[in-house]
């Protein structure tokens, strides 16, 4: 077997959440008077980058606003079931059936990863689930993928990573894994040129795996 493990990104790969996250942030920034009109795209980014952009020079206020943001939406969890990418469960079942060791490696916070797994009852699919915030550096650094491979007990040469964003693809590429890029419904024009394979929709992964395993 050419590959022994497969590691999935979360947002944009398994759930099409980036527009939902962006809408929440924009509503919060408008409410507290932060002008985000000149902010860069945060697609595939992480909390540290996002909140340092919003509050660059005051870490105390930055932490306080982030906690305020969390509190505001504490009783309105992300509706992951509604945002699942078509074929998500089918793909996870198939990968498990192929005997691949399975990992989840997200740039999002640990509590977000846990909420996602709990809501959709996906914990048993993954041998390893990691947040980039648990590593020395988050994506686009390769740390979260290197740690996932270490915990799975596989080499980069035997690992397939499924990503969508340019930042995530760069992280997986630096880690030395084979990178398959998928395109979420809400972001058809991502730069995925650094990926080894560009599949389009997530379901296409199954046909590709049938030919290369």
């Amino acid at each position: 077997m050419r590959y022994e493990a497969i590691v999935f990104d979360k947002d944009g790969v398994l759930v099409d959440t980036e527009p939902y996250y962006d809408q929440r942030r924009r509503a919060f920034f408008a409410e507290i008077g932060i002008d985000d009109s000149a902010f860069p795209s945060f697609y595939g980014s992480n909390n540290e980058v996002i909140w340092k952009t919003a509050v660059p020079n005051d870490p105390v206020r930055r932490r306080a606003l982030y906690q305020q943001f969390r509190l505001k939406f504490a009783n309105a969890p992300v509706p992951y079931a509604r945002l699942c990418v078509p074929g998500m469960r089918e793909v996870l079942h198939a990968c498990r059936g192929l005997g691949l060791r399975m990992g989840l490696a997200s740039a999002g916070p640990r509590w977000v990863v846990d909420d996602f797994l709990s809501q959709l009852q996906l914990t048993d699919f993954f041998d390893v689930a990691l947040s980039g915030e648990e590593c020395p550096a988050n994506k686009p650094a390769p740390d979260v993928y290197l740690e996932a491979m270490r915990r799975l007990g596989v080499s980069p040469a035997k690992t397939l990573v499924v990503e969508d964003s340019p930042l995530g693809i760069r992280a997986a590429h630096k880690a030395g894994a084979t990178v398959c890029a998928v395109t979420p419904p809400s972001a058809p024009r991502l730069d995925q040129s650094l990926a080894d394979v560009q599949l389009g929709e997530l379901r296409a992964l199954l046909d590709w795996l049938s030919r290369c395993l």
Side-chain angles (χ1 to χ4, degrees):
M1 186 179 288
R2 182 177 175 185
Y3 297 104
E4 296 176 356
I6 186 165
V7 183
F8 292 88
D9 175 44
K10 178 174 74 70
D11 298 304
V13 172
L14 301 178
V15 280
D16 192 15
T17 42
E18 292 287 355
Y20 188 86
Y21 293 155
D22 187 63
Q23 183 181 41
R24 279 192 165 190
R25 285 193 301 265
R26 289 183 180 278
F28 180 74
F29 290 153
E31 183 179 295
I32 63 173
I34 289 179
D35 179 8
D36 65 354
S37 59
F39 286 4
S41 169
F42 292 127
Y43 193 99
S45 192
N46 60 74
N47 265 3
E48 181 178 10
V49 170
I50 292 166
W51 290 92
K52 278 188 175 179
T53 302
V55 189
N57 301 314
D58 190 341
V60 174
R61 180 169 182 257
R62 185 187 311 141
R63 285 192 296 270
L65 286 180
Y66 177 58
Q67 291 306 315
Q68 184 181 337
F69 173 77
R70 285 192 61 180
L71 185 62
K72 176 179 175 62
F73 295 107
N75 295 318
V78 177
Y80 289 116
R82 178 165 61 83
L83 300 173
C84 287
V85 168
M88 182 266 284
R89 288 186 183 273
E90 176 189 358
V91 168
L92 294 181
H93 274 290
C95 290
R96 178 60 76 191
L98 289 167
L100 292 166
R101 279 169 264 181
M102 293 175 62
L104 182 71
S106 173
R110 179 78 242 179
W111 65 271
V112 172
V113 172
D114 290 341
D115 184 46
F116 162 74
L117 294 173
S118 175
Q119 270 198 52
L120 297 183
Q121 300 181 348
L122 296 176
T123 303
D124 290 344
F125 277 108
F126 298 102
D127 303 296
V128 168
L130 287 172
S131 160
E133 292 188 0
E134 299 172 295
C135 301
N138 211 332
K139 300 177 187 180
D143 302 38
V144 70
Y145 284 117
L146 292 171
E147 180 62 14
M149 290 187 283
R150 186 189 71 79
R151 295 192 190 187
L152 290 168
V154 292
S155 68
K158 294 286 187 179
T159 302
L160 178 68
V161 168
V162 187
E163 265 285 0
D164 65 313
S165 73
L167 293 176
I169 291 169
R170 194 187 320 165
H173 178 75
K174 287 179 182 177
T178 298
V179 188
C180 275
V182 297
T183 306
S186 65
R189 294 184 178 84
L190 295 171
D191 178 6
Q192 299 180 329
S193 56
L194 197 59
D196 298 289
V197 183
Q198 296 182 42
L199 293 173
E201 66 175 10
L202 181 64
R203 282 195 183 105
L205 177 66
L206 297 182
D207 181 60
W208 187 83
L209 285 172
S210 72
R211 289 184 278 108
C212 74
L213 288 182

